[in-house]
């Protein structure tokens, strides 16, 4: 069983971007294996923090489902929150049979590298301006690529303690560079915000352990990397940044012009915030939100191109307008409760706990940032790449705590 969970965890991240819906394979295998808990019945020895992670996953599912039923939304809406429910048996399985560390860290790095290789081929050979690798959307590809890259960095301290330290460290560094490179190649600007914030987190933790000289080196490397990405010929970073600035200036001077990426987002956000005041507690539901948008369009208060979008392009505003304040609080709990739980684990005296605690912090921080400019949790890849890495990292963290 230990070998099977290790293979599942490796496949989950290794195929996440290089194969269409590749992240689903490892998740499905974990779910199938979790059925074995019914007759094996291993002692799980759950503690208070385990129940916190399980509880927040279940609460998100229950509130989302209750809201869907209350508003009589299509049953297909159940598809996304069900992923948090399905992550719970996967967590229980891995608490009983923790995967090997190499399977997780190796899969994360290979996933980032594989996705970027495919995206590079699409960019060069297919002349795809914004490559998507094995996904269907450049935004979500860029965000997940950045996530895998940053998670690769979290494993560096683990790699240095291994028998083949040079090989493991090299692989994870390549995973980090590939993940960031894939995000840049995708042109997904929202995901770029996660890089400096997470590097500052890395720097502060290293400063606490190794002194401020280490933190200065980390931040300096970030500045060099950012400058290099900006000044390269035909740099996607420079082009997309300049485009965003121009689009914002246009929208600021002429609010009625929304035929730009920034202009559309600003109108989606403002209209959704206005609509959220109709039913502030329980929201409008998906059906009600779309109906109200059609009404605004017919009254000439909303551009027709905005009507086609089924979400508000912001996780927090989308939750507020569809599921009200209750839904927004559940979304925040889904991100902030695990973030706080992983952060507390950083104080554990065992050095083996640190990489997984840091990985959990990076995971939740990335999703807090991704949700500002897109709805990460309305697509399969978005919700799965939050829920399953969360339970994988937590199960492996608990294994290290038990060892110590």
């Amino acid at each position: 069983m230990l070998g099977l969970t290790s293979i599942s965890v490796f496949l989950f991240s290794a195929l996440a971007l290089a194969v269409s819906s590749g992240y689903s394979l490892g998740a499905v295998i974990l779910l199938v294996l979790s059925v074995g808990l019914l007759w094996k019945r291993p002692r799980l020895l759950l503690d208070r923090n385990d129940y916190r992670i399980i509880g927040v996953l279940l609460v998100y599912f229950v509130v989302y489902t209750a809201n869907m039923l209350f508003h009589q939304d299509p049953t297909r809406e159940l598809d996304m929150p069900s992923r948090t429910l399905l992550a719970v048996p996967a967590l229980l399985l891995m608490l009983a049979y923790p995967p090997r560390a190499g399977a997780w860290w190796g899969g994360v790095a290979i996933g980032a590298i594989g996705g970027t290789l495919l995206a590079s081929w699409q960019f060069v050979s297919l002349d795809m301006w914004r490559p998507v690798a094995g996904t269907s959307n450049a935004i979500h590809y860029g965000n997940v690529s950045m996530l895998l890259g940053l998670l690769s960095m979290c494993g560096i301290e683990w790699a240095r303690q291994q028998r083949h330290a040079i090989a493991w460290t090299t692989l994870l560094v390549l995973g980090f560079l590939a993940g960031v490179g894939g995000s840049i190649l995708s042109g997904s600007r929202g995901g770029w915000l996660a890089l400096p914030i997470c590097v500052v987190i890395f720097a502060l933790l290293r400063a606490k352990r190794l002194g401020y000289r280490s933190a200065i080196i980390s931040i300096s490397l970030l500045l060099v990397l950012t400058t290099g990405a900006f000044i390269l010929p035909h740099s996607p970073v420079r082009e997309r940044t300049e485009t965003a600035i121009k689009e914002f200036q246009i929208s600021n001077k002429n609010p009625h012009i929304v035929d730009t990426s920034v202009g559309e987002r600003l109108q989606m956000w403002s209209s959704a915030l206005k609509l959220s005041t109709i039913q502030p507690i329980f929201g409008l539901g998906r059906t009600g939100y779309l109906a109200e948008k059609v009404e605004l369009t017919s009254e000439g208060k909303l551009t027709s191109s905005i009507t086609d979008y089924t979400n508000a392009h912001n996780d927090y505003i989308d939750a507020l307008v569809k599921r009200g304040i209750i839904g927004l609080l559940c979304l925040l709990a889904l991100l902030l409760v695990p973030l706080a739980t992983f952060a507390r684990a950083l104080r554990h005296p065992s050095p083996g706990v640190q990489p997984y605690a840091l990985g959990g912090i990076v995971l939740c921080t990335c999703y807090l940032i991704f949700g500002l400019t897109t709805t990460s949790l309305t697509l399969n890849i978005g919700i799965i790449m939050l829920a399953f890495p969360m339970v994988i990292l937590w199960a492996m963290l608990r294994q290290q705590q038990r060892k110590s």
Side-chain angles (χ1 to χ4, degrees):
M1 189 67 81
L2 290 171
L4 291 173
T5 56
S6 298
I7 292 171
S8 303
V9 164
F10 173 79
L11 292 175
F12 173 79
S13 48
L15 302 180
L17 297 177
V19 177
S20 179
S21 298
Y23 47 84
S24 298
L25 179 60
V28 168
I29 296 175
L30 286 173
L31 289 174
V32 172
L33 293 175
S34 67
V35 177
L37 295 176
L38 295 176
W39 65 82
K40 284 183 174 292
R41 298 185 181 182
R43 294 185 63 190
L44 297 176
L45 302 175
L46 301 180
D47 70 4
R48 182 172 55 186
N49 290 322
D50 298 326
Y51 286 116
R52 280 200 186 99
I53 301 293
I54 293 171
V56 77
L57 291 169
L58 293 179
V59 166
Y60 183 81
F61 168 76
V62 169
V63 170
Y64 200 119
T65 303
N67 184 271
M68 182 201 74
L69 296 173
F70 177 75
H71 291 294
Q72 298 181 341
D73 286 334
T75 53
R76 64 175 178 272
E77 284 292 288
L78 188 61
D79 194 38
M80 293 305 107
S82 68
R83 277 33 179 187
T84 62
L85 173 66
L86 297 176
V88 173
L91 172 59
L92 297 177
L93 172 73
M94 290 183 289
L95 286 173
Y97 306 102
R100 295 184 179 90
W104 167 250
W105 296 118
V108 165
I110 291 172
I113 294 168
T116 301
L117 288 175
L118 179 55
S120 299
W121 175 76
Q122 292 172 342
F123 184 78
V124 175
S125 300
L126 302 183
D127 199 25
M128 192 179 290
W129 180 54
R130 294 186 64 188
V132 299
T135 72
S136 60
N137 186 293
I139 295 175
H140 295 286
Y141 161 60
N143 287 348
V144 174
S145 182
M146 178 65 75
L147 173 64
L148 293 179
L150 291 171
L151 286 175
S152 295
M153 277 297 290
C154 297
I156 296 295
E157 290 301 321
W158 169 85
R160 290 175 176 170
Q161 307 303 317
Q162 302 311 301
R163 180 180 178 185
H164 302 289
I166 295 177
W168 276 113
T169 302
T170 302
L171 177 63
L172 289 171
V173 169
L174 288 175
F176 166 69
L177 295 175
V180 174
S183 178
I184 292 172
L185 202 58
S186 74
S188 303
R189 295 170 297 215
W192 300 344
L193 298 174
L195 178 60
I197 293 175
C198 289
V199 168
V200 169
I201 292 173
F202 292 143
L204 292 176
L205 291 175
R206 288 181 64 83
K208 185 176 180 181
R209 293 172 50 247
L210 305 174
Y212 284 98
R213 181 179 178 183
S214 177
I216 293 172
I217 292 173
S218 298
I219 294 175
S220 298
L221 289 174
L222 170 65
L223 293 174
V224 170
L225 182 64
T226 304
T227 303
F230 198 84
I231 65 176
L232 284 172
H234 309 293
S235 167
V237 175
R238 184 178 66 252
E239 291 177 3
R240 293 286 288 166
T241 302
E242 291 173 349
T243 299
I245 294 172
K246 290 177 182 177
E247 289 179 355
F248 180 79
Q249 291 172 341
I250 292 171
S251 298
N252 193 38
K253 292 179 181 178
N254 304 284
H256 62 282
I257 299 178
V258 294
D259 58 345
T260 64
S261 175
V262 172
E264 286 183 338
R265 276 182 169 83
L266 291 175
Q267 190 171 97
M268 280 189 281
W269 296 346
S270 62
S271 62
L273 285 171
K274 290 177 183 177
L275 292 175
S276 68
T277 60
I278 298 175
Q279 292 285 349
I281 304 300
F282 300 109
L284 299 170
R286 183 182 188 273
T287 304
Y289 170 56
L290 296 180
E292 289 292 339
K293 286 177 69 177
V294 171
E295 183 69 21
L296 288 178
T297 303
S298 65
E299 294 173 359
K301 297 178 181 178
L302 191 65
T303 307
S304 58
S305 62
I306 304 299
T307 312
D308 298 330
Y309 290 96
T310 59
N311 58 70
H313 254 280
N314 177 295
D315 271 327
Y316 311 106
I317 297 175
D318 194 67
L320 181 63
V321 71
K322 292 179 181 176
R323 297 183 292 281
I325 294 173
I326 294 176
L328 176 60
L329 290 176
C330 284
L331 170 61
L332 292 173
L334 180 65
L335 298 172
L336 295 178
V337 171
L339 175 62
T341 307
F342 278 110
R344 279 194 295 269
L346 278 175
R347 289 178 281 184
H348 196 277
S350 173
V353 172
Q354 308 300 316
Y356 305 103
L358 181 56
I361 292 171
V362 164
L363 173 68
C364 297
T365 300
C366 282
Y367 267 85
L368 284 166
I369 296 167
F370 296 161
L372 294 173
T373 54
T374 189
T375 43
S376 301
L377 305 183
T378 59
L379 285 182
N380 210 17
I381 186 173
I383 188 69
I384 286 183
M385 291 304 297
L386 169 65
F388 277 81
M390 183 187 295
V391 297
I392 291 169
L393 285 164
W394 183 252
M396 299 183 76
L397 183 152
R398 291 285 285 121
Q399 179 194 24
Q400 293 299 319
Q401 288 181 334
R402 288 168 178 169
K403 281 184 177 180
S404 64

